Amino acid sequence: MSGEPVSNVGLLYSAAALIINGLVLLGVVSGRAAAPFNLLVGSMQVIFPTVALIQAAGDTDAILSASSVYLFGFTYLYVGLNALTGASGEGLGWFSLFVTTCAVVFSLLEFLSGGFVYAVLWLFWGALWFLFFLMLAIQTKGIDRFSGWFTLLLGIFTVGVPGFLELAGGFPDTPLTGSIALGVGLILLLVSWVLGRAKRPDDAAHPAAA
């Protein structure tokens, strides 16, 4: 699943989509404004893996890599269509639970095949999708800003950076780099939680009633 050209190009555009969607959750960008890019990236990440599947000729590694890209592609398409149509997010939330489960399986497959970094990254991506499940399907309150920061930071450091390094051919996948990825991910989780709990200026201007 790691190291495939389709996956690597997809990582770069996934990074941009995650950053923009993080800004949507933080209230910086509107959902409708982000919808066209979600639809473009989602379409790309459905078309490219489909072409890869056609050309796979039974190569199980290529098929598995393409199948993982679909998870991102369908998510972005779902987000974009929901924003344009004004549909509620429950369906996307339950789909996110399905993707969370798939992410855990992909993480295990990566680990068993010696892919230490991507085993870690899939766990954090699964955690992000689980947050979407909590927000949209379960309607958990008070985690929007935490989820927004986590989406934005994961987009930069666990999707964008690996994508560039993979394309540049300088992304060693070893137990050491896997440990570094785990440490970075935990730091991003903590930073996102702290930033998500921090009060905004408008909170001070409009204090809650006693």
Side-chain angles (χ1 to χ4, degrees):
M1 282 172 283
S2 59
E4 297 289 338
V6 170
S7 299
N8 297 338
V9 173
L11 282 175
L12 290 182
Y13 291 98
S14 283
L18 287 173
I19 292 168
I20 291 173
N21 288 326
L23 293 174
V24 170
L25 290 171
L26 292 172
V28 177
V29 177
S30 72
R32 288 185 66 85
F37 192 72
N38 275 299
L39 293 175
L40 287 170
V41 176
S43 298
M44 183 189 75
Q45 295 193 344
V46 169
I47 294 171
F48 283 10
T50 300
V51 173
L53 285 177
I54 294 172
Q55 299 175 341
D59 184 339
T60 55
D61 288 338
I63 293 171
L64 196 59
S65 177
S67 68
S68 68
V69 180
Y70 279 123
L71 298 178
F72 288 92
F74 288 138
T75 298
Y76 299 136
L77 287 176
Y78 214 146
V79 170
L81 289 172
N82 275 1
L84 289 181
T85 62
S88 61
E90 291 94 339
L92 176 58
W94 286 104
F95 174 70
S96 296
L97 181 61
F98 165 76
V99 180
T100 299
T101 305
C102 292
V104 173
V105 174
F106 279 123
S107 175
L108 179 61
L109 292 174
E110 283 286 355
F111 181 77
L112 292 176
S113 65
F116 299 100
V117 173
Y118 279 95
V120 170
L121 295 184
W122 272 111
L123 286 179
F124 283 109
W125 296 338
L128 180 60
W129 267 301
F130 187 69
L131 283 175
F132 295 153
F133 164 71
L134 293 178
M135 281 193 303
L136 300 173
I138 306 301
Q139 305 290 311
T140 303
K141 305 297 183 183
I143 62 172
D144 288 17
R145 286 183 58 76
F146 163 53
S147 301
W149 281 111
F150 197 47
T151 302
L152 190 154
L153 293 176
L154 281 188
I156 296 171
F157 294 104
T158 74
V159 184
V161 172
F164 273 115
L165 291 176
E166 286 276 23
L167 289 172
F171 192 62
D173 195 346
T174 66
L176 175 59
T177 53
S179 299
I180 293 172
L182 178 61
V184 170
L186 291 174
I187 291 172
L188 297 179
L189 184 65
L190 177 60
V191 170
S192 300
W193 176 257
V194 172
L195 292 174
R197 301 294 292 178
K199 289 189 175 182
R200 293 171 291 179
D202 56 337
D203 294 333
H206 301 90

